[in-house]
Amino acid sequence: MTWNKHKYRAVKTTIDGITFASKREAKRYTELKILEKAGYITHLELQPEYQITINGIKICKYIADFRYFTVRAESNERSYNSKGEWQTPTLTGDREGQIVEDSKGFKTPIYRLKKKLVEACYPGTIIKEV
């Protein structure tokens, strides 16, 4: 008899025809889709790859769960148009910051090493665990 249990008890889940490695990752995808539809984030990307190359030698690659950009409002203050009417601050679409996310229930030593390598090789990139 063969058991197909995941080592860390993750359960594969399919949403929108996309199979995710865990329920946690699938749930986060649903949350990010809502944020993207509402205009708070843009350019949602699944499974972005980062090549780790040091001194011209390919060491490994890291595959994150998600990458996206936050969108900021032009102003948090009350603003009025030329007619003196209340004007809601609009989303500019400017990229305030790139967010790289990984849905983790358990941080393996390999993951910790790859995270440090990506953050060192790609300045400004910070991996956020959710």
Side-chain angles (χ1 to χ4, degrees):
M1 179 179 275
T2 304
W3 293 94
N4 291 330
K5 286 191 175 183
H6 189 273
K7 184 176 180 179
Y8 300 106
R9 296 185 183 155
V11 177
K12 288 191 178 197
T13 307
T14 302
I15 295 178
D16 294 340
I18 304 166
T19 301
F20 295 94
S22 67
K23 287 181 182 180
R24 180 188 309 254
E25 186 179 345
K27 181 180 179 212
R28 185 61 182 156
Y29 169 74
T30 304
E31 293 167 354
L32 290 173
K33 288 299 284 182
I34 291 169
L35 289 173
E36 185 177 43
K37 194 173 251 188
Y40 291 106
I41 66 171
T42 62
H43 300 87
L44 177 60
E45 184 180 350
L46 305 177
Q47 305 284 309
E49 288 187 14
Y50 290 88
Q51 298 295 329
I52 308 299
T53 305
I54 299 173
N55 294 333
I57 300 169
K58 182 182 173 192
I59 305 299
C60 62
K61 73 177 172 182
Y62 168 73
I63 302 173
D65 290 336
F66 309 104
R67 178 172 51 201
Y68 57 89
F69 293 90
T70 59
V71 178
R72 62 179 174 81
E74 287 178 2
S75 171
N76 290 333
E77 300 173 5
R78 298 180 72 95
S79 61
Y80 297 89
N81 63 16
S82 60
K83 297 177 185 175
E85 299 167 333
W86 164 250
Q87 185 175 355
T88 305
T90 58
L91 297 175
T92 62
D94 291 339
R95 293 178 180 178
E96 187 175 58
Q98 173 182 283
I99 308 292
V100 179
E101 283 189 6
D102 218 322
S103 302
K104 288 287 174 209
F106 182 78
K107 297 176 194 172
T108 64
I110 298 280
Y111 165 74
R112 291 177 191 195
L113 176 63
K114 286 185 176 185
K115 177 184 177 189
K116 287 179 183 178
L117 287 168
V118 168
E119 291 175 349
C121 292
Y122 293 88
T125 300
I126 296 174
I127 300 171
K128 177 180 159 186
E129 291 107 8
V130 289

